[in-house]
């Protein structure tokens, strides 16, 4: 039951759910590309899906929270992580690091930032227990 031991760790659950969220969002993107939608439309729909799916999944499975009104705070955290990503990629690009490698380099810091920001500002104890 090693999995259950890890599952009791909130950071592990966050990484696990984030992985599922990425795969689900990418699946939506691939399906829409397969259906011949323009890539900008496909990525926009996939991103919206990823945000909504991620909010519900992180709320319930990681932070045990049922307050749907927290989505505005979640969107703000998502915007901050996005801006951190852009800043990091811009810096790494300036340092002449390949964009594929730069994206990989940014994964871990962004995952940590997302976890900490969500835990502190979105799914904190103050916001616990508010009804759906």
């Amino acid at each position: 039951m090693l999995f259950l031991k890890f599952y009791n760790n909130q950071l592990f659950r966050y990484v696990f759910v984030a992985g599922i969220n990425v795969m689900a969002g990418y699946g939506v993107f691939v399906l829409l590309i397969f259906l011949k939608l323009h890539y900008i439309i496909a990525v926009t729909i996939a991103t919206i899906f990823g945000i909504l799916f991620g909010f519900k999944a992180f709320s319930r499975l990681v932070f045990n929270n049922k307050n749907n009104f927290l989505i505005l705070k979640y969107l703000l955290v998502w915007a901050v992580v996005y801006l951190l990503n852009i800043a990091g990629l811009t810096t790494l690009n300036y340092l002449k690091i390949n964009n594929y490698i730069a994206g990989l380099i940014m994964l871990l810091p962004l995952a940590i930032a997302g976890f900490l920001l969500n835990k502190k500002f979105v799914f904190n104890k103050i916001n616990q227990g508010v009804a759906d």
Side-chain angles (χ1 to χ4, degrees):
M1 296 296 129
L2 185 60
F3 178 77
L4 290 177
K5 181 179 178 183
F6 282 116
Y7 189 78
N8 288 329
N9 180 287
Q10 192 176 49
L11 180 59
F12 173 80
R13 288 194 316 269
Y14 182 86
V15 170
F16 182 76
V17 171
I20 292 171
N21 191 41
V22 167
M23 289 187 290
Y26 185 69
V28 169
F29 175 75
V30 168
L31 174 65
L32 295 174
I33 293 296
F34 178 77
L35 295 174
K36 306 292 188 216
L37 266 69
H38 190 275
Y39 73 91
I40 292 176
I41 295 170
V43 77
T44 301
I45 293 170
T47 299
I48 292 168
F49 171 83
I51 289 170
L52 296 175
F53 178 83
F55 174 73
K56 291 307 290 181
F58 290 127
S59 293
R60 300 285 174 118
L61 300 174
V62 178
F63 297 105
N64 195 29
N65 191 300
K66 298 178 182 178
N67 183 354
N68 288 326
F69 293 106
L70 296 177
I71 194 156
L72 295 176
K73 289 183 177 185
Y74 181 79
L75 289 171
L76 288 173
V77 164
W78 194 88
V80 168
V81 172
Y82 174 77
L83 293 173
L84 289 171
N85 193 11
I86 297 299
L89 291 173
T90 300
T91 301
L92 294 170
N93 192 276
Y94 177 77
L95 297 171
K96 306 289 187 220
I97 294 176
N98 177 290
N99 284 326
Y100 296 108
I101 302 300
L104 287 173
I105 291 170
M106 292 305 298
L107 284 177
L108 184 59
L110 293 174
I112 292 169
F115 173 74
L116 294 175
L117 290 169
N118 274 304
K119 184 174 176 129
K120 178 147 179 82
F121 297 110
V122 180
F123 302 108
N124 57 37
K125 295 294 182 197
I126 294 169
N127 295 322
Q128 292 288 349
V130 178
D132 296 58

